[in-house]
Amino acid sequence: MYQQIADVIRSQIDTGQLAPGAKLPTEAELREEYGVSRETVRKALGLLVNEGLVVSARPQGHFVRRRQPMVFRPQAEFRERPYTPEMDAFVTEYSAEGREPRQEIEVAIVEPPADVAKRLRLEPGELVAVRKRVRYLDGEPFNTNDSYFPLSIVRDSEIMRPENITRGANEVLADLGYRQVRALDELYVRMPVPDEVHRLDLGPGTPVGVHLTTGFTEKGKPVRVAITTLPGDRHVVSYERRWEAPDGEA
Amino acid sequence: MYQQIADVIRSQIDTGQLAPGAKLPTEAELREEYGVSRETVRKALGLLVNEGLVVSARPQGHFVRRRQPMVFRPQAEFRERPYTPEMDAFVTEYSAEGREPRQEIEVAIVEPPADVAKRLRLEPGELVAVRKRVRYLDGEPFNTNDSYFPLSIVRDSEIMRPENITRGANEVLADLGYRQVRALDELYVRMPVPDEVHRLDLGPGTPVGVHLTTGFTEKGKPVRVAITTLPGDRHVVSYERRWEAPDGEA
């Protein structure tokens, strides 16, 4: 029975009959409408909360989750302007106006996590420098970005300073003789671990995307691994692609 | 207390002390080890199941979730071979050998969902053809792909037949005068709705990635929207990127 009630509300959300931000009927109203117990109503609402469709904001009640995704565009790293008018329009449409970005930066020298060591092809015992950033919009944590560099390369550079690098860490690497000319991106989708729930202030039913970039020099040496953790309710990841004619064709 | 028990097991999974596929101690063993009630043990295990780290396979017990992701590489659509040796190596490493792909295809003429109508810039009342595919590996559902085309374009083409198109739907569109030369990809991360749980046989704690591609002709006309639903435990989405020198530089 609680699943049927959830189905009705879910389809009202799907069709827009219940718009983002709208208040759901109260528990008492739902009990009356469906002639069911308080427990049944709570189970229905709990299901929708776990699906990420509804947020519970006691004592005010339950609301349709509002999604205001930020566009995360990995290609912007190597080329700021979009290639296509479609991406231009898309970014303009999605980018929330007037939101105030801010970031906290921490730098540390650490033993690399296994997935970082493997991608940087480090020797056992080799250390890395990590720049850990939490990015905020309007005071709310939006995503975290941890960038790892082989310590042997960046030891004496400004990458070690816990402040913003205006020209970007990639330009610093280039000056050190390690310009990244290509990158391999991996994107994983999973539930957050408690540390992420805490750092990113995640509600129930909020999975994360984990975007992992490895940057390579012309010679194929990996010099940077950046791990960005993106709460699903706050981001859309976007790429442009262009068709290339097979060799020999126009 | 149950959170502390979950923390211990989670960190054993993180460090690899409990490897993928390993059996966790039984409920009785955990009760004994931590001196807690059956209910506390169950809450700890339930938390890990909801985080997607552990699967419950009664009556055998609980196991560390095994992830065997398939590489989903959107760029392969426009260019089959990877650009870089890194992507070549990555695909080889991740692609599971000897798994048997199979797909079920259904074709229908429908009113477009709102997100499709918007991206295809359809007039009110305009219909679309949709090819719905469920892809299986070794008999297990791996992902779903729903491709939408303006009906006015594809009405008399082989896109309407519920069978595999060897040369690909994109070549059919090209023959019809609508070659896609670029695409815009969007990737969303969210919990599945019940229909997806059912179609994809998703366990608890399994979010999905929703990959939405819009294909455009040279003139910027959108002619196809493909929506791929990727269970988080079975996929990694991967892209290659290349740095391009700013205008005027080498």
Side-chain angles (χ1 to χ4, degrees):
Chain A
M1 187 58 200
Y2 74 93
Q3 287 182 325
Q4 287 171 29
I5 299 173
D7 287 347
V8 172
I9 299 174
R10 189 185 303 110
S11 94
Q12 290 171 341
I13 294 173
D14 274 355
T15 60
Q17 193 180 336
L18 278 170
K23 188 170 184 307
L24 265 55
T26 62
E27 287 185 13
E29 286 166 350
L30 290 170
R31 285 180 61 183
E32 167 105 8
E33 184 175 346
Y34 294 95
V36 295
S37 69
R38 174 188 301 257
E39 201 197 347
T40 301
V41 164
R42 291 201 171 158
K43 277 176 85 172
L45 292 170
L47 184 60
L48 295 168
V49 167
N50 279 325
E51 288 175 9
L53 296 176
V54 160
V55 293
S56 163
R58 301 205 172 165
Q60 296 95 325
H62 288 80
F63 296 83
V64 179
R65 186 134 164 185
R66 198 192 287 276
R67 287 169 197 275
Q68 295 183 294
M70 188 176 103
V71 180
F72 178 59
R73 197 160 66 83
Q75 289 166 314
E77 179 180 59
F78 286 169
R79 185 190 158 105
E80 207 165 313
R81 273 206 55 237
Y83 292 108
T84 64
E86 290 79 19
M87 178 63 102
D88 245 337
F90 179 76
V91 171
T92 306
E93 183 182 341
Y94 267 76
S95 59
E97 300 295 324
R99 292 200 274 180
E100 209 44 63
R102 180 173 70 80
Q103 59 181 5
E104 283 171 9
I105 304 178
E106 245 181 76
V107 177
I109 295 175
V110 298
E111 288 190 35
D115 52 351
V116 171
K118 183 177 155 202
R119 285 173 180 79
L120 288 177
R121 297 186 211 128
L122 300 177
E123 301 293 330
E126 221 181 319
L127 296 178
V128 289
V130 56
R131 290 174 65 84
K132 283 177 181 273
R133 285 185 288 185
V134 184
R135 291 168 177 148
Y136 297 83
L137 269 182
D138 291 342
E140 284 190 281
F142 240 67
N143 63 49
T144 61
N145 173 279
D146 299 342
S147 293
Y148 295 87
F149 308 86
L151 182 61
S152 52
I153 292 181
V154 301
R155 190 188 304 267
D156 300 316
S157 75
E158 62 199 279
I159 283 176
M160 302 305 294
R161 286 190 221 127
E163 55 200 41
N164 194 35
I165 303 173
T166 313
R167 59 185 174 144
N170 289 351
E171 280 307 307
V172 177
L173 277 178
D175 288 350
L176 294 167
Y178 300 96
R179 179 178 290 285
Q180 296 162 80
V181 297
R182 53 185 194 262
L184 180 64
D185 292 359
E186 302 161 51
L187 199 127
Y188 299 85
V189 172
R190 59 166 171 75
M191 296 311 286
V193 295
D195 179 54
E196 293 163 336
V197 171
H198 174 73
R199 260 176 112 187
L200 289 165
D201 195 14
L202 304 176
T206 309
V208 292
V210 179
H211 187 271
L212 209 150
T213 292
T214 309
F216 299 88
T217 64
E218 188 67 60
K219 288 179 181 161
K221 180 181 170 65
V223 292
R224 182 186 54 121
V225 170
I227 301 176
T228 310
T229 304
L230 305 150
D233 58 342
R234 297 166 214 171
H235 293 88
V236 48
V237 183
S238 187
Y239 285 87
E240 298 169 271
R241 289 185 285 119
R242 289 178 298 174
W243 181 76
E244 295 186 29
D247 296 342
E249 286 188 34
Chain B
M1 187 59 201
Y2 75 93
Q3 287 182 325
Q4 286 171 30
I5 299 174
D7 287 347
V8 171
I9 298 175
R10 190 184 303 108
S11 95
Q12 290 171 342
I13 294 173
D14 274 355
T15 59
Q17 192 180 334
L18 277 171
K23 188 170 185 309
L24 265 57
T26 63
E27 287 185 15
E29 286 165 353
L30 290 169
R31 285 179 61 182
E32 168 105 8
E33 183 175 346
Y34 294 96
V36 295
S37 69
R38 173 189 303 256
E39 202 198 346
T40 302
V41 164
R42 290 203 171 159
K43 277 176 85 172
L45 292 171
L47 183 61
L48 296 169
V49 167
N50 279 326
E51 287 175 10
L53 296 176
V54 161
V55 292
S56 162
R58 300 205 173 164
Q60 296 95 325
H62 288 80
F63 295 83
V64 180
R65 187 133 165 185
R66 197 193 287 277
R67 287 169 196 274
Q68 294 183 295
M70 187 176 103
V71 180
F72 178 57
R73 197 159 66 83
Q75 289 166 313
E77 179 179 61
F78 285 169
R79 185 190 157 105
E80 207 164 312
R81 275 206 51 237
Y83 291 107
T84 63
E86 290 80 19
M87 177 62 101
D88 246 335
F90 179 75
V91 171
T92 306
E93 183 183 342
Y94 267 76
S95 59
E97 300 294 324
R99 292 200 274 180
E100 210 42 63
R102 181 173 69 80
Q103 59 182 4
E104 283 171 7
I105 305 177
E106 245 181 76
V107 176
I109 295 174
V110 298
E111 287 190 36
D115 51 352
V116 171
K118 183 177 156 201
R119 286 171 179 79
L120 288 177
R121 297 186 211 130
L122 299 177
E123 300 295 330
E126 222 182 320
L127 297 178
V128 289
V130 56
R131 292 174 63 84
K132 284 179 181 273
R133 286 184 288 185
V134 185
R135 290 167 177 149
Y136 296 82
L137 269 182
D138 293 341
E140 284 191 281
F142 239 68
N143 63 51
T144 62
N145 175 279
D146 298 342
S147 294
Y148 295 87
F149 309 86
L151 183 60
S152 52
I153 292 180
V154 301
R155 192 188 302 268
D156 300 315
S157 74
E158 61 200 279
I159 282 176
M160 300 306 293
R161 286 189 222 127
E163 54 200 43
N164 194 35
I165 302 172
T166 313
R167 59 186 173 141
N170 289 351
E171 280 306 307
V172 177
L173 278 177
D175 288 353
L176 293 167
Y178 299 96
R179 179 177 290 286
Q180 296 163 79
V181 298
R182 53 185 194 263
L184 181 64
D185 292 358
E186 303 162 50
L187 199 127
Y188 299 85
V189 172
R190 60 166 172 75
M191 295 312 285
V193 295
D195 179 54
E196 292 163 336
V197 171
H198 174 74
R199 260 177 113 187
L200 289 165
D201 195 15
L202 303 176
T206 309
V208 292
V210 179
H211 188 271
L212 211 150
T213 292
T214 309
F216 299 88
T217 65
E218 188 67 58
K219 288 179 182 161
K221 179 182 172 64
V223 292
R224 182 186 54 120
V225 169
I227 302 176
T228 310
T229 304
L230 305 151
D233 59 342
R234 298 167 215 171
H235 293 87
V236 48
V237 183
S238 188
Y239 285 87
E240 299 169 89
R241 289 186 285 119
R242 289 178 299 173
W243 181 76
E244 295 186 30
D247 296 341
E249 286 188 35

